[in-house]
Amino acid sequence: MSKKLIYLDNNSTTPCDPRVIDAMVPYFYDLHGNAASRSHPFGWRSEEAVDYAREQIANLIQVDPKEIIFTSGATESDNLALKGVFEMYSRKGNHIITLSTEHKAVLDSCKKIEKMGGEVTYLSVDGKGRVDLAELENAITDKTIMISIMWANNETGVIQDMKAIGEICAKHGVLFMSDATQAVGKIPVFPKEVGVHLMAFTAHKMYGPKGVGALFVNRKNPRVKVTSQLDGGGHERGMRSGTLNVPGIVGFGKAAEIAGKEMQEEAIRLAKLRDRLESALCEQLEETYINGDDKNRMPHVTNISFKHVEGEGLMMTFNQEIGVSSGSACTSASLEPSYVLIALGLGDDLAHSSIRFSLGRFTTEEEIDYTINEIVRGVNHMRNLSPIWEMYKEGVDLDSIEWAEH
Amino acid sequence: MAYSKKVLDHFQNPKNVGTLDKSAKNVGTGLVGAPECGDVMRLQIQVNDDTGVIEDAKFKTFGCGSAIASSSLATEWLKGKSIDEALAIDNMDIVEELALPPVKIHCSVLAEDAIKDAIKDYKEKNQ
């Protein structure tokens, strides 16, 4: 296996399943109608296709099809849920509780809400990446309208105790919103079972196309409403205007159907491969740490820090062939290392040293074995170059050195 | 972000990786950056007592590819230079030679700082 590219960045986006693409193709050709055209067969056929996809998606998460609002993706769904609830429930209160480890789509929506007069509490997490339930309950005030907590974290794969959080929300009569982008289609996600009232997710993290997502909005007990953020033709029960992306929605539906059928087997297979990767790296490389809760986490993700090796530099040793991502600052323009890993209590140095591996449906055992060898080679190369690794090996206490921060 | 060919060359085959005896009188050691910032460079020069010319230079760097390439290039440039010539190396020369993008300019600044730090150490030892 020489120049074949290996993709282990499935949390960033998944490739489209060929079965999904096959399902979508007719909707670029003859079945091109606008689903909102009520006066001719072109429109009717597209509307039927959308209805069918809505059912496929509703079946996957066990909700009523009427509770699915199509959007352009999880970012839009997060925005709609947070800002839409904030506006709709402004008479009830203005306080929202969320986590510091949420995706930027949630955090930046909350920042905007603060500018609009809202109050937001950003709770931290414990060393394993989970929220402290007592702390969460204590943060609720008589002004709290919603708690927004992601189902599974994108960087670490850590899964929150959704049932317990749902119970706290129910007890206090607070809406429960969840960004479930990384969880839907990979593990069983049933919002109604755990008391989630709004849930954002997207097709392109579950082998569907990019550019289409959904927001689940609970219709009964309680009947939840959101103020639309995009105004126009009143599509999606008035909550999200805009011509529906019919091919995308058809693909999303197919992806949901496949996920429902294959998820269980896939999760077992990927967990095995992930564990194989993790244990080989930890055995062959000293000073290697798994970040986040290794019990409550997604089956296909591992986030590992290789001490005294900088993440981007490490990636450069193998990124002509292997695609992963790093919590290192250098991969972004900000120069700040991953805020998610910092929230777990990792020092900046370990956050800079982290690599996220996210496996997927098309990951093979052969690829994992190849990756293990490449990572081991890369870490050794980087440690050979690293002055702080040399100092560490000589027994120098790195904390005793006065570093020139820059 | 794609790396320039020169950055890749220095990264894959770094020049002058290693450690000189920091207690030697004719060796100057510069250590700049911080682990928390994701960059630490250690650059060492060995100066010929008779000629005052830098006869050897070594580095080790914890950092991204551009940081490693910047320090590797710096050690190449240092060899054969006098102290005064070495002091004249400017970070923008490194930026230009390696075609570093704006977000990586701090890597070249760090390399210049490491050179100056190493020279300062050498001078303090040889006052």
Side-chain angles (χ1 to χ4, degrees):
Chain A
M1 194 161 61
S2 57
K3 266 299 171 191
K4 193 180 166 253
L5 295 173
I6 296 173
Y7 188 66
L8 296 175
D9 202 13
N10 286 276
N11 273 20
S12 131
T13 189
T14 50
C16 244
D17 191 298
R19 293 167 288 182
V20 168
I21 300 171
D22 289 346
M24 290 171 70
V25 168
Y27 293 89
F28 290 103
Y29 290 108
D30 293 346
L31 303 174
H32 59 74
N34 187 327
S37 296
R38 292 272 157 75
S39 52
H40 50 67
F42 299 93
W44 301 333
R45 287 186 299 190
S46 288
E47 192 186 16
E48 266 169 40
V50 168
D51 286 347
Y52 186 63
R54 210 186 290 277
E55 262 174 52
Q56 289 171 309
I57 294 160
N59 283 342
L60 176 66
I61 59 170
Q62 295 183 3
V63 303
D64 189 296
K66 290 197 190 78
E67 295 175 310
I68 300 291
I69 306 295
F70 286 119
T71 66
S72 63
T75 291
E76 189 194 332
S77 299
D78 284 331
N79 273 264
L80 176 57
L82 289 156
K83 295 174 189 170
V85 163
F86 176 71
E87 283 188 48
M88 183 62 75
Y89 293 80
S90 60
R91 276 195 301 179
K92 195 170 170 268
N94 69 342
H95 181 227
I96 292 170
I97 302 169
T98 190
L99 300 185
S100 59
T101 51
E102 292 288 311
H103 190 269
K104 284 284 178 193
V106 168
L107 293 177
D108 288 353
S109 292
C110 287
K111 292 264 147 59
K112 183 63 78 65
I113 286 167
E114 286 181 289
K115 281 185 189 157
M116 292 157 68
E119 275 181 43
V120 182
T121 301
Y122 303 91
L123 293 176
S124 198
V125 292
D126 63 18
K128 290 181 178 291
R130 302 243 273 163
V131 63
D132 182 307
L133 296 171
E135 204 182 317
L136 175 68
E137 191 162 10
N138 283 336
I140 298 173
T141 71
D142 56 355
K143 293 268 182 227
T144 307
I145 49 176
M146 177 165 57
I147 290 176
S148 182
I149 290 181
M150 68 204 315
W151 206 291
N153 185 269
N154 47 316
E155 291 194 32
T156 58
V158 170
I159 301 168
Q160 298 293 340
D161 188 346
M162 298 303 285
K163 193 148 183 68
I165 299 167
E167 279 163 13
I168 291 171
C169 291
K171 184 175 154 194
H172 294 271
V174 172
L175 291 178
F176 186 12
M177 142 76 186
S178 183
D179 175 353
T181 306
Q182 296 290 349
V184 173
K186 314 260 179 63
I187 57 170
V189 169
F190 305 128
K192 287 181 185 278
E193 208 171 83
V194 298
V196 164
H197 305 113
L198 299 112
M199 188 175 85
F201 55 110
T202 190
H204 81 97
K205 306 274 196 211
M206 48 188 276
Y207 311 97
K210 293 164 185 64
V212 57
L215 180 67
F216 154 73
V217 183
N218 203 64
R219 277 191 93 203
K220 273 186 202 153
N221 304 320
R223 181 178 178 86
V224 179
K225 284 163 116 184
V226 294
T227 303
S228 70
Q229 303 295 308
L230 278 180
D231 301 309
H235 307 73
E236 299 299 275
R237 297 167 48 230
M239 286 191 253
R240 199 276 189 184
S241 290
T243 296
L244 290 176
N245 170 4
V246 178
I249 288 167
V250 167
F252 194 0
K254 186 68 188 177
E257 183 196 304
I258 295 169
K261 283 183 191 146
E262 301 182 358
M263 177 195 302
Q264 203 182 352
E265 221 172 288
E266 194 164 285
I268 293 169
R269 187 183 78 87
L270 292 181
K272 249 187 215 157
L273 287 181
R274 188 266 317 269
D275 293 347
R276 181 189 182 95
L277 172 71
E278 219 172 57
S279 55
L281 293 177
C282 290
E283 266 165 36
Q284 295 180 41
L285 294 165
E286 51 185 320
E287 294 297 313
T288 294
Y289 302 91
I290 311 294
N291 298 319
D293 191 338
D294 63 0
K295 303 278 182 299
N296 301 292
R297 65 170 169 169
M298 299 295 290
H300 65 287
V301 188
T302 180
N303 189 309
I304 308 182
S305 285
F306 303 96
K307 205 169 187 182
H308 305 323
V309 171
E310 197 275 332
E312 189 198 337
L314 174 59
M315 285 203 293
M316 216 169 138
T317 64
F318 54 74
N319 68 1
Q320 305 297 316
E321 291 174 301
I322 305 171
V324 296
S325 71
S326 168
S328 154
C330 284
T331 53
S332 67
S334 73
L335 298 182
E336 294 293 321
S338 156
Y339 63 89
V340 171
L341 297 180
I342 298 296
L344 262 61
L346 263 72
D348 283 7
D349 54 340
L350 272 182
H352 276 296
S353 303
S354 73
I355 299 281
R356 177 188 72 186
F357 302 89
S358 45
L359 286 56
R361 185 172 289 165
F362 307 107
T363 306
T364 65
E365 191 174 315
E366 193 192 9
E367 288 177 332
I368 292 299
D369 288 343
Y370 185 82
T371 300
I372 292 167
N373 286 333
E374 285 300 291
I375 304 291
V376 169
R377 193 180 60 79
V379 169
N380 287 331
H381 176 78
M382 296 302 288
R383 282 184 173 165
N384 186 39
L385 284 173
S386 170
I388 49 178
W389 179 252
E390 183 186 295
M391 291 177 199
Y392 165 75
K393 288 307 249 182
E394 285 170 352
V396 176
D397 177 11
L398 293 169
D399 292 332
S400 71
I401 295 174
E402 262 188 55
W403 300 102
E405 307 261 342
H406 60 286
Chain B
M1 180 175 51
Y3 306 96
S4 72
K5 197 176 166 297
K6 280 183 180 162
V7 169
L8 277 174
D9 280 350
H10 276 287
F11 179 76
Q12 280 156 357
N13 303 297
K15 312 292 187 302
N16 310 310
V17 176
T19 309
L20 298 170
D21 177 9
K22 69 177 176 213
S23 61
K25 197 164 175 286
N26 65 336
V27 169
T29 300
L31 182 66
V32 296
E36 289 72 28
C37 304
D39 288 306
V40 176
M41 266 182 209
R42 189 192 62 202
L43 193 147
Q44 296 181 299
I45 52 170
Q46 183 179 310
V47 183
N48 185 299
D49 290 330
D50 301 327
T51 61
V53 166
I54 297 170
E55 57 188 6
D56 200 4
K58 296 274 184 210
F59 84 95
K60 278 200 176 188
T61 290
F62 162 85
C64 65
S66 303
I68 286 164
S70 296
S71 31
S72 170
L73 176 66
T75 54
E76 277 209 306
W77 279 357
L78 284 169
K79 283 205 243 180
K81 280 196 165 63
S82 69
I83 293 293
D84 284 342
E85 286 168 339
L87 279 171
I89 294 174
D90 185 78
N91 81 290
M92 288 314 287
D93 301 337
I94 296 171
V95 171
E96 206 171 308
E97 174 69 15
L98 296 176
L100 296 181
V103 69
K104 294 297 181 190
I105 287 177
H106 71 276
C107 298
S108 69
V109 173
L110 210 57
E112 188 189 318
D113 289 350
I115 294 171
K116 300 224 152 74
D117 206 36
I119 291 171
K120 184 169 154 249
D121 182 52
Y122 169 78
K123 282 185 170 168
E124 278 168 7
K125 280 183 182 170
N126 292 278
Q127 273 169 353

